[in-house]
Amino acid sequence: MISNQAKKEIDIWVAKYPEGRQSSAVMQALTIVQKENGGSLNNELKQDVADYLEMPTISVQEVATFYENYNNKPVGKNVIRFCHNISCMLNGSDELISYLEEKLDVKTGEISKDGLVSVKKVECLCACVGGPMCQIGDQYYENLTKKRIDEILDGLK
Amino acid sequence: MNNICLKSIDKDNPSSLATYETMGGYKVWHKILHGELSPEKILEELKISGLRGRGGAGFPTSLKWSFMPRNQEGQKYVVCNSDEGEPGTCHDRDILRFNPHSVIEGMAIAGYVMNATVGYNYIRGEFMEPYYRFEEALKEAYDAGLLGTNIKGSQVCFALYSNLGAGAYICGEETALLESLEGKKGQPRFKPPFPANVGLYGKPTTINNTESFASVPEILSRGGQWFADLGVVNSGGTKCFSVTGNVKNPANFEIPMGTPFSDLLKLAGGLRKGRALKGVIPGGSSTPLIPAAKAMKMTMDYDSIEKAGSMLGAGSVIVMDDTTCMVKALTRLAHFYYDESCGQCTPCREGTGWMYRVLKRIMDGQGKSEDLELLLSVQDKMLGNTICALADGAAMPIESFIRHFREEFEYYIKHGKSMVENDG
Amino acid sequence: MVDIEIEIDGKVVHGHSGENLISIADREGIDIPRFCYHKTLSVAANCRMCLVDIEGNPTPQPACSTLSSAGMKVHTNNEKAKTAQKACMEFLLINQPLDCPICDQGCECELQDVAMEYGSNVSRFNEGKRIVDDKGIGALIQTDMTRCIHCTRCVRFGAEVAGIVEMGATGRGEDLKIEPFLSEGIQSELSGNMIDVCPVGALTSKPFRYEVRSWQMNSIQTIARHDLVGSNIFTQTHKSKVKRVVARDNENINETWISDRDRFSYQGVNNENRVLIPKIKIKGEWQDTSWDDALDFATNGIKKHAKEGSQFGTLASKNATLEELYLLQKFTRGLGSDNLDYRLDVSNPYNAKVLESNISLTELETIDHALIVNSYLRLEQPMINHRIRKATLNGASVSTINAKAFDFNYRVSHSVLTSPQNTVATLSGILKALLDKGSQTLPDYLNTVTVHQSHIDIANALLNAKHPVVVLGEHVNGNTCSDQVAKLVSEIAKASDAKTLNASLTGNTHSAERVNFKPDNGKNALQILSSDLTAFALFDVYPNFDCIDSENAIKHLSRDDAFVVVMNSFDDESVSSFANVILPIASFYETSGTHINVDNIAQSYSASVKSAGESKPGWKVIKVLADLLNLQGFDFTDSSQIADEALSLTPSISEIEVPINNSEMPNVTTVWQYTPYASDVVVRHASSLQQTRIGQMSEASVCKATAKLLELSEGDFYKGVPVNINESVAEGCVFVHTHLPRQLGVV
């Protein structure tokens, strides 16, 4: 079930688009609903979004499986999206990702044992001048080093 | 340097309306609202300025805007492509964070010229900080009565909304962006019909890049000729370049077109101590690689880079020094295109996967002697045969890397390891 | 549209400016390979197989999405074009499992055909292929999605033709996967057409899987007999059994599609529940016997039990062939009886002249408004509904008057819920509103009628349209005022200058009407089954499903003094309980015959296979019975002679008066509708269709207020059908939609 709060937020997005074009809000609807659901989507939620926006469910599923930001399987409380594209790679992102995996005892795509973190390798986040970098939630963390990573992990709840 | 789009970057509160106005912002918009600047005059100035699409295609902006059927009845749209995604590019992010009002004013001016009363700024989903800054700026603009209907008592109407993506490089392609705005997967449409005839929701639409819109107010304020004179022939004005990779101080630099590459490299702090330049990708990963010697001779403008064998593209300069293993770099790029292909058309969907698998196999030490010819053949069969240019972007690195550094690939195939000792 | 000249491969050809190149090429017989292009679907241009060289363009362009312009010079097979086409072919084959030896599509596969010319002998792909794990999509369509080439024809078919978006392309890049959201199966009644449009073996027929190779079958042209359209099909046969049915093009009738019922009902014909040998009942025990003995037994029984013709009555299935119906009525009348009818599920049989059909299938596409009365048209007549849907895509609007709100595959602008007992009042209100608008004098019966806003809305919608149509469906059959309903529909159409389509009786109804398989002054079906007749002939009738008062029908036929000759294709326990002799007849595809459709087009067909066991074509059985009873006029050696004679008849045109007096009806009525896969005996035996969601529907829907009245709660059963309380049903009525037999008395 989509909460009333989520519906209010979705409605704000729907209002940006012309009458009858509420399906333009589907990407944000999925983002909002995903956030409420601990960071991932499931079939019921996608069905609810489809019903709310009066779209075919398969069309919602297409969107949910096309874009990188959606997690269709459960993830850790914090998802560390680590860029491994060319500019970050040239500045040592690979070593930092290995360090992160070692420190958390988790492989990319998996959830840490305490459920707090999962790590995802992502393509260019376009903060290349600050590479190596990663994104957690809304925030970019740039100019990463092993020490910076330690600090970030300590701060995660 | 940094005198147009990145003008406010060093100011206090760089993204605020107040800062923008102290720098002369919205003066052009007010002129328009007072009926002192006609659409024809604006198009003329833009033509003189030589402004070319800053997103990568380099299409003359004035010409693009003139394609819109401005006198046709019905809704039309202006869309800003802030789905910055080309690997190596990060200057639109700074424009949105530090000078969002230039984008707002630029889009409003475009809306006025093309009789498009609604605009959307499509910001990539990961750019949350730029999104929040842009939203703040939008609110400021609305509160100041600069947007909406019958603005400041004029007959001009322009409503502007921000839109967020959700993580797909392909949405940087203008028709894929429109599909995404309509709430679908970002699968490019075949052209024709072009967006100026059938665009967002089937209505005439013009899509331009963030930097393109951000450049417009200053051009109209200082004059098209002023802008053109900053640059060189065929490349008027200034351009934001992101310089990244093996440089000491990677950063965004807004510099005149025609600046020598060697100067730009110096601005970015030059190479690391004791290292030599190996290769440069001048315009983002989709543009061909240029070997060091040629790069050092080129200037940063469309014609010179084309002569050097590549394209200016999005202005994303990726610098590789002699610690870079070209096989590894290419494999990483190949993975990018393989991951980001939307999957719609056959050559890209199948070809990007094929090329990545071959390169991965080479990196796993199981390369075969015929692999290089195979890669060159596959990329050639993708070029020009697809709905959009992602396949071309996937093909060009393959072709240029192998052409310029063939011996590294042959070594890796033969020995199962990199020729470069410390590969980054 | 301007006529232009372009050049393809050096040949000057003509087209319209703006027409895409591929359709010009197809018309001119110039071969351009393609996968994603289909002439009835929107252009996708994603397979890239149709890339051609257009002079002036640096890169090859897809012929399907390139619009022609005067003077264009196109090369479809020069080096540039061929290189691009071969490149595309290579890409398509790299992740293909290439499992042709076990793929049902083998030898009717577009990928194989195109690969012959554009593929190379040896693959250069030496990497691991991607594999797709399949999501089941129901009992009808088998998926092997690893073979899928992502042309999206099935996705576009679902969205554009079937009108239900069920399939999509999820994922991205190489992981692009064509699938539905959940695996509960595709719901569209036209879903099987996806099998036809799929160019590879990704979507194949599930019932047909691994049965036989396509080249081992014979393809025989024939007609689907279930509905009013008579869709054209091919039966594909092997060792005298129908193994598969596929669509046959006929632009005026079914275009290029068929319904799932047409496609999969052949399984019913092959079902083991067929009557295979003649049987007679001696002292309550059934005995197999020879044809001669059985026929003698039958004719002797008729002679003994019907000394007068008036004591004899005939009932026939409306799915019988024209020839069978013609001979049966000749037989009945030859015996001196005027007691015959095919309208078994009608509570108040009325003369069909009251409401005729005067709009053709192709014309249906041109309407701008449809008023659908008493019909779940989508499931009752899928191909007629498809035409209306096409009209809605061009802006036509639709209003409905039904006892329940249904799930149409187009938007319904006005939906009026009306119980059967209020239908006459509702239609009278609409007629009055129409006549008032036109300031016409009202007939007396409208004087006391109240006009509500909903009636005015419907009337306005009709009057605002230039080409409206009013459609009457099957739900009216249970209405004791059905003749008044039909009359009012006819008057409404007259008052709004609308065409009409009477879809209340399906199958070969138009043949039955043509040969007057109805009493002139004698007894109709209800009367035959309740009066004191003592000899009966039943032709492919299964009273527990087919008769409106099934319980009474069976009781009546079970009387000791009744002698019942049954000519049936399937075994049935309740039939065996009352019949005295059962003569096995051929089922669908096993006999030659003729079907007359709603456009009055007579389509004749020959048998595709030999009839099962010892069963014989029905027309032969009737003819022999007639000969044995010394009736004249049965000298036929070929069914086409019967058809000729039958078609030379001009049906009677007697008008009848239908007074509108809205006779008393009970407070609560029932509408009983079978699922489309329980509508006749053949489809009832098609196992794959019974496994679909449509086939398994069984619900007695009732609104809360009426449920309270009837003391029904959720979980109860109403006439054997599970109760579902919801507000989508009109008050005062229970809407039963089921596959279960109507065994429990009158509705």
Side-chain angles (χ1 to χ4, degrees):
Chain A
M1 280 307 300
I2 312 180
S3 73
N4 285 330
Q5 176 57 32
K7 282 188 183 150
K8 277 205 195 98
E9 284 178 54
I10 296 172
D11 288 344
I12 294 173
W13 283 94
V14 171
K16 295 188 183 193
Y17 309 107
E19 181 79 35
R21 295 285 184 177
Q22 67 276 10
S23 55
S24 285
V26 68
M27 284 159 67
Q28 278 316 295
L30 286 171
T31 304
I32 290 162
V33 153
Q34 177 173 267
K35 198 163 176 190
E36 255 192 10
N37 193 48
S40 65
L41 295 168
N42 56 43
N43 283 343
E44 288 76 30
L45 287 172
K46 284 181 261 195
Q47 180 71 62
D48 290 341
V49 168
D51 292 340
Y52 192 66
L53 293 175
E54 293 173 37
M55 291 171 70
T57 326
I58 186 62
S59 305
V60 173
Q61 177 74 330
E62 284 182 330
V63 170
T65 54
F66 181 84
Y67 295 95
E68 200 62 50
N69 288 8
Y70 303 120
N71 304 308
N72 291 289
K73 289 202 179 95
V75 289
K77 195 146 175 257
N78 301 280
V79 180
I80 302 178
R81 305 169 74 232
F82 216 108
C83 176
H84 73 140
N85 209 308
I86 185 102
S87 298
C88 286
M89 183 203 97
L90 291 170
N91 282 295
S93 63
D94 286 355
E95 287 73 23
L96 290 178
I97 293 174
S98 304
Y99 175 73
L100 190 58
E101 286 180 321
E102 220 181 276
K103 194 146 194 241
L104 293 169
D105 188 22
V106 84
K107 287 259 165 309
T108 52
E110 293 175 354
I111 309 175
S112 64
K113 286 188 192 61
D114 57 6
L116 202 58
V117 190
S118 44
V119 179
K120 233 179 152 184
K121 277 198 274 209
V122 296
E123 300 299 343
C124 188
L125 288 170
C126 290
C128 319
V129 298
M133 54 81 58
C134 73
Q135 180 179 18
I136 307 175
D138 284 354
Q139 193 149 350
Y140 274 17
Y141 296 89
E142 300 172 63
N143 301 308
L144 293 176
T145 55
K146 285 186 184 164
K147 185 156 173 276
R148 264 299 271 144
I149 289 178
D150 289 343
E151 286 167 13
I152 293 166
L153 288 179
D154 285 339
L156 289 181
K157 290 184 261 292
Chain B
M1 196 175 84
N2 291 354
N3 60 341
I4 301 178
C5 303
L6 295 179
K7 206 171 174 181
S8 54
I9 202 164
D10 290 325
K11 304 245 185 282
D12 279 336
N13 223 349
S15 59
S16 75
L17 175 60
T19 306
Y20 187 63
E21 281 179 327
T22 56
M23 298 187 311
Y26 288 118
K27 279 221 176 74
V28 177
W29 186 233
H30 277 110
K31 261 176 115 175
I32 288 171
L33 294 174
H34 289 135
E36 291 162 17
L37 198 51
S38 71
E40 292 77 17
K41 184 78 174 89
I42 293 172
L43 285 176
E44 184 62 37
E45 284 302 311
L46 284 180
K47 188 170 172 196
I48 294 168
S49 76
L51 177 66
R52 290 167 69 163
R54 292 292 191 243
F59 194 83
T61 307
S62 167
L63 190 58
K64 196 177 205 180
W65 288 14
S66 73
F67 289 152
M68 280 285 266
R70 67 179 311 274
N71 295 321
Q72 184 180 295
E73 283 279 315
Q75 184 66 56
K76 299 180 239 353
Y77 294 101
V78 160
V79 172
C80 178
N81 185 346
S82 296
D83 190 65
E84 183 164 57
E86 189 72 21
T89 323
C90 52
H91 44 71
D92 292 349
R93 175 170 173 246
D94 279 358
I95 297 175
L96 288 171
R97 292 192 299 166
F98 303 126
N99 199 0
H101 281 285
S102 64
V103 179
I104 294 174
E105 188 179 6
M107 289 184 76
I109 293 169
Y112 165 70
V113 170
M114 294 185 275
N115 231 344
T117 57
V118 178
Y120 291 97
N121 184 10
Y122 185 104
I123 303 172
R124 76 175 281 178
E126 297 92 329
F127 272 4
M128 291 313 289
E129 187 198 349
Y131 165 70
Y132 291 131
R133 295 276 185 96
F134 189 80
E135 280 282 287
E136 276 165 23
L138 257 186
K139 182 167 190 305
E140 283 186 310
Y142 269 104
D143 287 345
L146 291 164
L147 298 172
T149 45
N150 297 110
I151 303 168
K152 304 261 182 214
S154 73
Q155 294 206 317
V156 180
C157 303
F158 190 69
L160 180 54
Y161 307 99
S162 56
N163 195 79
L164 275 172
Y169 164 72
I170 188 61
C171 288
E173 199 281 337
E174 64 175 12
T175 59
L177 190 154
L178 294 179
E179 289 284 293
S180 183
L181 247 180
E182 293 184 5
K184 299 178 249 173
K185 297 185 295 173
Q187 281 188 174
R189 303 174 181 169
F190 51 82
K191 299 187 272 206
F194 291 90
N197 292 109
V198 181
L200 182 63
Y201 308 127
K203 309 279 187 242
T205 307
T206 291
I207 304 113
N208 273 115
N209 164 264
T210 324
E211 191 183 344
S212 305
F213 281 122
S215 308
V216 167
E218 197 76 18
I219 289 172
L220 294 176
S221 173
R222 309 272 286 263
Q225 195 59 54
W226 165 83
F227 186 79
D229 290 343
L230 290 173
V232 294
V233 171
N234 281 340
S235 305
T238 57
K239 171 89 183 73
C240 295
F241 291 96
S242 304
V243 185
T244 63
N246 297 138
V247 288
K248 279 220 201 86
N249 303 320
N252 290 316
F253 304 99
E254 185 176 27
I255 54 174
M257 291 277 216
T259 303
F261 166 74
S262 50
D263 287 359
L264 181 58
L265 187 57
K266 271 203 206 95
L267 278 173
L271 300 167
R272 294 173 297 176
K273 190 170 164 134
R275 305 260 61 102
L277 185 66
K278 190 168 182 180
V280 177
I281 300 177
S285 63
S286 304
T287 57
L289 171 74
I290 302 176
K294 275 215 170 104
M296 289 308 282
K297 290 206 198 89
M298 75 186 180
T299 53
M300 305 305 291
D301 56 85
Y302 289 101
D303 290 349
S304 177
I305 297 180
E306 195 183 320
K307 219 163 121 202
S310 186
M311 284 127 58
L312 186 134
S316 343
V317 184
I318 304 169
V319 176
M320 287 173 272
D321 68 21
D322 54 349
T323 63
T324 310
C325 170
M326 292 323 223
V327 180
K328 182 173 178 190
L330 181 62
T331 308
R332 188 56 52 89
L333 288 178
H335 181 271
F336 169 69
Y337 293 103
Y338 159 67
D339 194 358
E340 297 289 350
S341 166
C342 75
Q344 196 187 180
C345 62
T346 307
C348 181
R349 178 184 66 242
E350 308 292 344
T352 50
W354 193 356
M355 295 194 298
Y356 173 65
R357 280 190 183 68
V358 172
L359 283 166
K360 180 134 190 324
R361 183 164 48 74
I362 293 174
M363 285 205 61
D364 286 345
Q366 288 169 3
K368 297 192 209 121
S369 54
E370 56 267 24
D371 283 342
L372 293 184
E373 286 315 309
L374 178 66
L375 283 168
L376 289 174
S377 165
V378 171
Q379 66 83 31
D380 185 51
K381 284 171 190 291
M382 287 167 65
L383 272 174
N385 288 343
T386 50
I387 294 178
C388 81
L390 189 145
D392 301 341
M396 285 195 257
I398 304 272
E399 195 281 329
S400 58
F401 271 67
I402 294 177
R403 179 160 43 96
H404 292 301
F405 294 96
R406 196 178 180 110
E407 67 282 5
E408 268 197 58
F409 288 89
E410 285 171 345
Y411 184 96
Y412 216 122
I413 289 172
K414 190 160 176 206
H415 300 280
K417 60 179 182 168
S418 172
M419 197 169 98
V420 178
E421 274 184 329
N422 308 307
D423 58 337
Chain C
M1 277 211 285
V2 177
D3 261 322
I4 52 160
E5 261 182 25
I6 63 170
E7 214 179 275
I8 305 183
D9 297 337
K11 178 177 164 198
V12 174
V13 297
H14 293 265
H16 308 295
S17 86
E19 193 181 355
N20 60 42
L21 290 177
I22 207 170
S23 65
I24 298 178
D26 285 350
R27 197 167 54 242
E28 295 290 333
I30 298 169
D31 203 21
I32 300 181
R34 86 292 301 270
F35 293 110
C36 66
Y37 176 75
H38 191 284
K39 64 178 194 252
T40 65
L41 303 172
S42 63
V43 170
N46 61 38
C47 74
R48 314 311 280 179
M49 198 63 217
C50 68
L51 290 172
V52 293
D53 178 21
I54 302 176
E55 282 184 28
N57 274 79
T59 54
Q61 299 298 314
C64 61
S65 63
T66 304
L67 306 178
S68 55
S69 55
M72 223 179 208
K73 286 202 172 82
V74 183
H75 302 277
T76 69
N77 57 12
N78 64 1
E79 202 192 311
K80 190 166 164 191
K82 268 237 143 71
T83 305
Q85 291 157 5
K86 283 185 172 164
C88 178
M89 193 75 242
E90 181 176 29
F91 283 126
L92 278 173
L93 292 176
I94 62 172
N95 277 311
Q96 265 287 315
L98 303 174
D99 56 351
C100 305
I102 59 160
C103 174
D104 275 353
Q105 196 89 344
C107 252
E108 43 184 33
C109 174
E110 294 179 54
L111 189 66
Q112 276 184 336
D113 292 344
V114 178
M116 285 295 288
E117 194 173 340
Y118 297 91
S120 61
N121 291 333
V122 182
S123 173
R124 296 191 297 174
F125 188 79
N126 287 315
E127 325 300 326
K129 298 193 180 212
R130 61 120 178 81
I131 298 175
V132 181
D133 67 316
D134 290 306
K135 207 173 227 172
I137 58 172
L140 304 178
I141 305 176
Q142 177 69 47
T143 53
D144 291 281
M145 298 318 273
T146 307
R147 298 174 185 153
C148 174
I149 58 168
H150 311 95
C151 69
T152 67
R153 274 186 186 174
C154 56
V155 175
R156 283 175 284 141
F157 170 81
E160 296 165 19
V161 180
I164 311 180
V165 180
E166 295 183 280
M167 294 282 267
T170 60
R172 191 168 82 187
E174 195 176 78
D175 293 331
L176 201 67
K177 194 169 156 191
I178 308 284
E179 57 178 5
F181 178 59
L182 296 170
S183 49
E184 55 187 22
I186 299 290
Q187 303 310 318
S188 168
E189 68 284 2
L190 299 176
S191 69
N193 292 297
M194 284 191 210
I195 298 169
D196 285 351
V197 299
C198 180
V200 301
L203 299 176
T204 51
S205 162
K206 205 170 201 168
F208 177 68
R209 191 167 175 72
Y210 297 149
E211 284 283 302
V212 69
R213 294 309 242 152
S214 60
W215 61 85
Q216 292 176 296
M217 298 191 289
N218 289 321
S219 238
I220 295 151
Q221 295 185 7
T222 188
I223 304 293
R225 292 162 58 174
H226 298 281
D227 61 21
L228 286 171
V229 170
S231 296
N232 288 201
I233 53 175
F234 284 107
T235 43
Q236 295 178 324
T237 67
H238 176 69
K239 293 197 177 146
S240 211
K241 272 222 141 55
V242 174
K243 294 307 227 177
R244 189 173 61 172
V245 166
V246 295
R248 184 160 59 97
D249 283 8
N250 187 323
E251 205 46 49
N252 293 333
I253 295 182
N254 56 304
E255 292 183 300
T256 195
W257 316 116
I258 54 175
S259 65
D260 287 357
R261 178 170 53 194
D262 293 342
R263 185 182 297 273
F264 294 106
S265 64
Y266 72 88
Q267 278 192 307
V269 175
N270 298 334
N271 189 288
E272 58 190 17
N273 197 31
R274 292 287 302 276
V275 187
L276 296 173
I277 196 159
K279 298 190 270 215
I280 54 178
K281 200 189 247 169
I282 306 280
K283 291 201 175 77
E285 295 290 320
W286 281 103
Q287 287 174 17
D288 291 348
T289 185
S290 69
W291 265 104
D292 284 341
D293 285 348
L295 287 164
D296 278 341
F297 188 88
T299 48
N300 288 338
I302 292 175
K303 279 190 287 204
K304 183 168 159 207
H305 288 257
K307 300 270 192 279
E308 310 261 319
S310 56
Q311 289 173 294
F312 178 77
T314 306
L315 297 171
S317 159
K318 55 185 169 318
N319 287 95
T321 66
L322 168 72
E323 294 81 345
E324 288 160 355
L325 290 164
Y326 178 66
L327 287 190
L328 257 178
Q329 64 82 33
K330 207 174 188 189
F331 177 85
T332 309
R333 292 185 160 110
L335 287 177
S337 165
D338 189 26
N339 309 322
L340 71 168
D341 210 343
Y342 70 97
R343 301 162 301 177
L344 309 174
D345 56 354
V346 179
S347 64
N348 176 30
Y350 66 89
N351 189 323
K353 298 294 162 297
V354 176
L355 179 66
E356 293 208 280
S357 304
N358 56 16
I359 183 167
S360 73
L361 291 165
T362 44
E363 234 185 295
L364 261 179
E365 280 181 36
T366 64
I367 57 156
D368 53 359
H369 182 73
L371 170 60
I372 298 176
V373 181
N374 286 180
S375 178
Y376 191 175
L377 196 64
R378 214 193 97 205
L379 297 187
E380 287 163 28
Q381 303 289 337
M383 299 314 298
I384 292 178
N385 186 68
H386 167 64
R387 298 282 187 171
I388 292 181
R389 186 184 129 75
K390 275 180 98 173
T392 64
L393 292 177
N394 281 330
S397 54
V398 177
S399 309
T400 61
I401 299 172
N402 274 324
K404 183 173 189 281
F406 297 115
D407 168 21
F408 284 95
N409 53 0
Y410 38 76
R411 209 178 75 82
V412 172
S413 45
H414 297 102
S415 163
V416 176
L417 284 184
T418 306
S419 63
Q421 61 271 32
N422 283 327
T423 304
V424 167
T426 304
L427 293 174
S428 303
I430 294 170
L431 179 61
K432 189 169 181 180
L434 283 169
L435 295 174
D436 277 342
K437 262 273 156 98
S439 312
Q440 298 180 41
T441 31
L442 300 176
D444 290 336
Y445 65 82
L446 288 182
N447 286 332
T448 51
V449 163
T450 328
V451 177
H452 298 287
Q453 184 57 45
S454 57
H455 304 161
I456 297 174
D457 290 340
I458 301 243
N460 284 339
L462 282 167
L463 288 171
N464 289 336
K466 292 202 183 65
H467 307 285
V469 68
V470 188
V471 180
L472 181 63
E474 291 178 9
H475 307 161
V476 71
N477 295 335
N479 193 328
T480 49
C481 296
S482 57
D483 54 343
Q484 297 182 45
V485 171
K487 175 73 176 167
L488 284 166
V489 167
S490 173
E491 291 300 313
I492 286 172
K494 277 200 206 110
S496 55
D497 217 2
K499 300 258 182 158
T500 53
L501 198 152
N502 189 344
S504 57
L505 291 175
T506 187
N508 212 358
T509 293
H510 287 255
S511 289
E513 289 294 318
R514 188 69 167 265
V515 306
N516 198 25
F517 201 93
K518 298 190 309 281
D520 291 318
N521 298 304
K523 296 184 168 49
N524 62 31
L526 265 180
Q527 292 159 340
I528 289 172
L529 289 168
S530 58
S531 62
D532 54 0
L533 301 186
T534 45
F536 303 86
L538 264 51
F539 192 89
D540 224 11
V541 172
Y542 307 84
N544 55 354
F545 274 99
D546 299 338
C547 295
I548 189 139
D549 186 350
S550 53
E551 186 180 298
N552 201 46
I554 293 169
K555 223 183 358 189
H556 191 74
L557 293 166
S558 303
R559 289 170 301 140
D560 287 334
D561 60 342
F563 184 82
V564 185
V565 176
V566 163
M567 289 165 272
N568 269 3
S569 45
F570 286 84
D571 250 327
D572 182 285
E573 228 177 271
S574 64
V575 171
S576 299
S577 73
F578 62 70
N580 294 89
V581 49
I582 299 181
L583 305 170
I585 56 168
S587 183
F588 286 16
Y589 313 131
E590 297 176 342
T591 176
S592 52
T594 303
H595 177 279
I596 302 180
N597 78 357
V598 70
D599 283 0
N600 254 315
I601 297 174
Q603 301 186 95
S604 295
Y605 45 87
S606 43
S608 303
V609 292
K610 214 172 72 63
S611 45
E614 303 220 14
S615 66
K616 303 252 179 269
W619 72 267
K620 286 192 183 168
V621 176
I622 304 164
K623 175 215 154 37
V624 171
L625 281 172
D627 287 344
L628 288 173
L629 287 170
N630 293 318
L631 299 177
Q632 297 306 306
F634 285 82
D635 296 325
F636 302 107
T637 50
D638 192 83
S639 70
S640 58
Q641 297 163 335
I642 309 170
D644 286 341
E645 204 174 286
L647 290 171
S648 67
L649 295 171
T650 36
S652 56
I653 39 171
S654 53
E655 288 287 334
I656 59 164
E657 269 304 309
V658 179
I660 310 293
N661 51 30
N662 204 2
S663 7
E664 268 302 309
M665 279 178 77
N667 278 354
V668 181
T669 52
T670 307
V671 181
W672 188 288
Q673 171 153 57
Y674 284 118
T675 74
Y677 306 151
S679 57
D680 61 59
V681 71
V682 174
V683 74
R684 283 198 288 271
H685 285 86
S687 54
S688 62
L689 289 171
Q690 301 314 317
Q691 288 168 46
T692 62
R693 210 185 331 147
I694 292 177
Q696 288 175 343
M697 278 196 295
S698 189
E699 221 171 59
S701 300
V702 59
C703 71
K704 230 194 305 201
T706 310
K708 197 160 171 221
L709 209 64
L710 296 173
E711 289 175 7
L712 287 174
S713 338
E714 204 80 38
D716 285 349
F717 286 84
Y718 179 78
K719 297 189 189 291
V721 181
V723 167
N724 181 314
I725 302 181
N726 63 73
E727 298 309 300
S728 70
V729 191
E731 253 193 75
C733 132
V734 182
F735 194 98
V736 177
H737 207 164
T738 185
H739 58 276
L740 297 171
R742 190 169 25 203
Q743 281 180 332
L744 300 144
V746 78
V747 290

